[in-house]
Structure formats: structure tokens, C-alpha cells
Amino acid sequence: MAARRPVRLPVLAGVVVLVLGLETSCDETAAAVVEDGRRVLSDVVSTQVDIHRRWGGVVPELASRNHIVQVMPVVHEALTRADKTLDDIDLLAVTSGPGLIGALLVGLQVAKGLSLATGKPFVGANHLEGHLLAIRLLEDAPAPPFLGLVVSGGHTSLYEVRDYGNYRLVGRTRDDAAGEAYDKTARILGLPYPGGQPIDELAQKGNPEAIRFPRALPGDNLDVSFSGLKTSVLHHVQKHGVPEGQALHDLCASFQEAVADVLSKKLVAAAKKLGHTQLVLCGGVAANSRLRALCKQRAEERGLRMFLPPVRLCTDNGAMIAVAGYEAWRRGLRGDFRLAADPAWRME
Ligand code: KG4
Ligand code: ZN
């Protein structure tokens, strides 16, 4: 039997660690090469939105099948753009949860296969930790502790990042995630899936005060709720019909204002309550122009520092998984071939 190649242990002082990050948890097939968990050498995202759009949302089986088709070309492209080969890579990091089980399995099996073929170690990374730690790729990244609000299609969760690997969930949505509210509202308005970007664009020419949609701020805890807002949009449309022209711009701006108002208020309230001065917004909805502006404004008014990842690092990508994997590795986590995908992996 051929001798197993020795596993090179990365994370040695002064040694550059190259991580290949692989993300297939939902409808983006993504891979990236990141140096030392800080510098992105390449970041390739192949989106499936055109495939899922005609169904009005992500169809899990279609997602898995398309990941299978896309994953190796995406990995190859990420290595090529970084001017590296698999031989140069020290660690493979792959999203192993949370997400769609069939979609996660594609990335995980590829990571295991590459690990087996090359002798390189691999580690499972948490998708939400990836979103939270994407901010490390900024030049002036905040050092923990900080408060991180993950706003995506599947999650709206507020975390206290006490240290890398030490997270406490301090608030969450009680029903719909913010991105889900965007996507459902877009559907009511006959706009394409995913709804965040089209609503954001239409809102630019709208009056945010045209319709006073409800703001659900349950109690003085740090939870939020968006199902009432979505129902309120539905009632408005049932009463007045699907708006067109300026009325559509106004509805989108009013809806967007309600989402941004609730989230930014909760974020600064949490900072005050828990004594944090550094705030991070992340996840797909963090790409939203109004949410970014209002969070920044409200944070600055209170003397807090608001950190916003660039838009390409807000939506799903492989670079954030490389960072989360790098951190998990530094904490001593190791992937072995029994590692299972965990669709409901809770980080805290
Ligand atoms: O983080 P992400 O790429 O995937 C998940 O992990 O869910 O987030 C996708 C979500 C979708 O619901 C999409 O509508 C929303 O992010 N989104 C936006 C914007 N761009 C994407 N929501 C509001 N405004 C945007 N500009
Ligand atoms: Zn995500």
C-alpha cells in the first residue's frame, strides 16, 4: 500500500497559509483562494438565480444538481485566477452547514475528494460564521468583541462576537428572515426572485414616507419580526391593486424604509444594552443601500463604529468560507471523512 502523504500543518508563525474556500449551501456555487484569512487572491461565484427565478424561489433538488455541474469549473477558475494550483493550497475549507442538505453535500464531498487526492487537510465551516467573519477581509477590520447582524435570505440573527469562535446569539427574527421578507414582497409585487436588489433599485426613486408600514419591535428585547410587514404589503396590494410607475417606487421605498428602520434601531439598541462600540452588518441583505446608510447614520450619531463589508462580500461567496475555515482550523477543528453536513448547524 502506498504510504499516506504527511499532512502539512498550516498556521505556523511566519508561514503563509493558503485556504481554498468552497461554498454550496444554497444557490451560489462559489470558491475562493484566501491568504492567511485576510487577503483574497481570487473569489469566483457562479449564481443559479436564473434557474430558480422561474419557480419564484430556490428549488433544492435543482440547486444540488447545478452545484454538481458547476463546482469543479468554479474551483478550477478560483485557482487559475489566484495563479495557484492545488499543490499550493494548505487547507480546504467547505461550508458544512447550515443550508440545504443536498446542496451542502456536493461541496462537502468535493472537499473530501480533493483532500483524499492531494493529502491536504480540510475543515467544515459554518455559513453564518462565514458571513460574520467576511469583515476580516477589510483593511481596517474590527478586532473582537463586536456585534454582528447577519441578515440573509434564511437568517436574521444578531450575534455578540466575543472572540473568533465565541459567539452568543442575542436577538433574532421571530418569523421571516429579512431577505425572505424582501423575496416574498417582490413576489406579491410581481418582481423577479430574489427580490432584494429589484426592490432596492425601485426604491431609489420612491418616497419612503408614502405608506406607513408597521414596524414590529417586540418588547425591549433584541428580536425582530417581519411577517406583519409582509402581510401589510399584501393587504395594501389587495386593496389598491399591484402598483405601477411612481406608486411602485413609493411602495418599495416605504417597505424598504420599514425594514431598515427596524434593523438599524435594534442594532444600535443592542450596542447600548450590551455595551458594544463596534458594529458589523453582513449577509445578503447587508447589500441594501438604505439599510447600510441608516445603520451607518444611527451608529455615528451615537459615537459607534459601523463596519460594512463591500457588497460582493455580503452575498454568498467562497472567500468568507475560507476565512471561517481558517479560524476554525486555528481553533483546532479538523475535518475527517466522517464529517456530515448539518443543515441546521447552530453556531453558538
Ligand atoms: O446571504 P445570501 O446571499 O444567501 C443566504 O444565505 O440566504 O442572501 C440572499 C438574500 C436574498 O433574500 C436577497 O433578496 C437578499 O439577500 N438581497 C438583498 C439585496 N441583495 C440581496 N436584500 C435587500 N437589498 C439588496 N440590495
Ligand atoms: Zn448566506
Side-chain angles (χ1 to χ4, degrees), residues 206-218:
N207 173 8
E209 289 167 12
I211 309 161
R212 176 77 195 174
F213 284 123
R215 272 83 162 144
L217 296 160

Side-chain angles (χ1 to χ4, degrees), residues 80-102:
T80 306
R81 286 193 201 171
D83 200 18
K84 302 287 176 197
T85 67
L86 271 177
D87 268 350
D88 301 315
I89 298 297
D90 298 300
L91 176 68
L92 302 153
V94 59
T95 310
S96 56
L100 301 170
I101 180 73

Side-chain angles (χ1 to χ4, degrees), residues 127 131 152 316 320:
H127 183 85
H131 277 307
S152 69
D316 291 350
M320 69 184 203

Side-chain angles (χ1 to χ4, degrees), residues 23 25-26 127-128 131 150 152-155 283-284 314-317 320:
E23 153 66 34
S25 70
C26 191
H127 183 85
L128 297 182
H131 277 307
V150 187
S152 69
H155 295 88
C314 292
T315 45
D316 291 350
N317 62 84
M320 69 184 203

Side-chain angles (χ1 to χ4, degrees), residues 150-157 173 175-185 196 224-226 229 255 259 263 285-286 291:
V150 187
V151 271
S152 69
H155 295 88
T156 296
S157 306
T173 179
D175 36 61
D176 293 349
E180 201 179 343
Y182 264 94
D183 298 340
K184 286 178 176 172
T185 295
V224 290
S225 157
F226 291 112
L229 171 60
F255 165 81
V259 176
L263 290 173
V285 183
L291 180 61

Side-chain angles (χ1 to χ4, degrees), residues 15-26:
V15 175
V16 172
V17 177
L18 277 189
V19 184
L20 175 70
L22 187 54
E23 153 66 34
T24 65
S25 70
C26 191

